[in-house]
Amino acid sequence: MAAEPVWSVDPRTGKPRERVAVEATAADVDRSVRAAYAVREALADRTVRAAFLRTAAGLLHGAGEKIVETADAETALGPVRLTGELARTTAQLRAFAEVVEEGSFLDIRIDLPDPAAIPPRPDLRRWKIPLGVVAVYAASNFPLAFSVPGGDTASALAAGCPVVIKAHPDHPATSELCASLLRRAAAESGLPEDVVVLVHGFDAGVELVRHPLVSAAGFTGSVRGGRALFDAAAARPVPIPFHGELGSLNPVVITPAAVEERAEEIGTGLAGSMTLGQGQFCTKPGFVLAPSGDAGDRFVDALTISLRDAEPGVMLDHRMRDHFLTGTEGMARIPGVTAPVQPAAGGPHTVKAGFLAVDAKTLLDGPHPSLVEEVFGPVTVVVRYDSRTEVTDVLSRVPGNLTATLQIAERDQDEDAAPLLAELTPLAGRVLVNGWPTGVAVAAAQHHGGPYPATTSTSTSVGATAIERWLRPVTYQSTPGHLLPPELRDDNPLDLPRR
């Protein structure tokens, strides 16, 4: 049986652009994983790893024009957005090079022997080592920062783990281009190219998570797809960690004092955030609690005007476009739900942004699960509330999220701020006050994760601590110094941070 071709498709027209690869068979996946596994020891030298990450960043930057052109042709995200995403991607690689060189991610801890302790304490030396081959599942909505050269790949390589990446079908040509640059960077750094391997195809993704030599997986995508892979990872004879980012409503709560103070500003800001990238950000604010009354009406009016003026846009592919249209049409038919600006087709290949409105009582009176589920695309649900009790009751229906946002009064002390902040904190991994969540800074203190279904673990996929996903601790007890790794010896020749 001939291998299925992989086509690059233009989402602006729905037409194939070029054939770029073929889908990997089970045998292909096996060869890819074994090739990566065979070279895992090559990544042991931290100096070489850091040089590799910086070389990769340099090659991606140097090929920026070609990368942006290819990614735009496959995703319709636009050169401005993609140029920024490429800069973020290269900065991420360089940041992990610094993490590798600094060395605190090894979490070195030494307890010297104490025979007088009860019970006596032996010599204990603990650090973290790489897990092994990591499977990376590329995201649809970020063809660079969360795909082949993205955060999962960068952090896994920084940890010393080779990667086998399953390309996303929405941008296979971009994936091939970026993978070739990562492999070239490996070669230029004195590493085997197979520290990075790329495969295509749905079946390849399933085979990958089941492969006995794969030690962990990172995924960004839908709840349905991520949960299937998560379950497969857990059902293996030897289960593996599966760090999946699956779905997020990213709720926003607007206090009465905030809407009295700046209703129009909040409405306009929400419109800009929820339509950024055609609403295809994992951090899009998709669920908003706004007060009833005149000030709340002014907020809704500002949101309405902004969305009516928004230009139609192209989504990442026609399957997502169709799902967006059918999903929002179904939500608008729920009794008690209105559509002040109905999300709709803007043409044969585009969509128009919109929002749905419902009062808190209606949402609470009936099981309306679609109103508290992520819809991928430029839409949000505005829930009008009459009391703090209704806010609490509605939030109890909201699942785990990547972010939660609180809009409070800026000029005067807002009495609702502290209690609402406390209510939002259990719901998300990142809590914002008077901002919008559709920007995720790559920084040491960043956390991009949250309670299920936002993610399947407590880890972050953005920021320096993302490296922790691909490491496991090992303690050496009463081990002669000459047998210890250099990082754990008394003379600490590498001058690494240690406790």
Side-chain angles (χ1 to χ4, degrees), residues 150-169:
D152 284 351
T153 296
S155 58
L157 292 170
C161 298
V163 295
V164 180
I165 307 163
K166 207 288 283 184
H168 196 279

Side-chain angles (χ1 to χ4, degrees), residues 249-341:
L249 271 180
N250 305 299
V252 178
V253 178
I254 308 169
T255 68
V259 82
E260 287 282 355
E261 180 183 273
R262 48 195 180 88
E264 291 78 12
E265 176 190 326
I266 295 173
T268 303
L270 173 62
S273 183
M274 59 164 281
T275 58
L276 191 64
Q278 290 305 313
Q280 298 171 119
F281 276 45
C282 51
T283 51
K284 179 202 74 177
F287 190 83
V288 182
L289 279 153
S292 301
D294 293 341
D297 291 344
R298 288 193 288 114
F299 155 75
V300 169
D301 290 344
L303 178 61
T304 299
I305 292 168
S306 295
L307 294 182
R308 281 179 178 165
D309 291 342
E311 292 292 323
V314 177
M315 294 190 68
L316 292 164
D317 63 38
H318 282 62
R319 178 186 58 82
M320 292 182 189
R321 175 182 177 274
D322 293 343
H323 183 75
F324 170 77
L325 294 174
T326 56
T328 54
E329 287 168 3
M331 293 163 70
R333 289 195 295 268
I334 295 172
V337 174
T338 63
V341 182

Side-chain angles (χ1 to χ4, degrees), residues 223 226-227 230-231 244 246-247 398-401 427 450-457:
V223 173
R227 183 57 195 248
F230 180 40
D231 291 347
L246 310 187
V398 174
N401 295 272
L427 294 178
Y452 184 87
T455 51
T456 59
S457 70

Side-chain angles (χ1 to χ4, degrees), residues 33 36-41 43 128-136 152-153 155-164 194-195 211-218 236 240-241 467 469-472:
V33 174
Y37 182 82
V39 301
R40 66 195 185 284
E41 295 300 329
L43 288 167
K128 291 182 177 179
I129 64 172
L131 287 174
V133 177
V134 170
V136 172
D152 284 351
T153 296
S155 58
L157 292 170
C161 298
V163 295
V164 180
D194 285 340
V195 295
H211 198 286
L213 296 182
V214 168
S215 297
R236 292 168 36 133
I240 60 171
I467 196 173
R469 298 174 295 169
W470 322 120
L471 300 163
R472 70 175 180 89

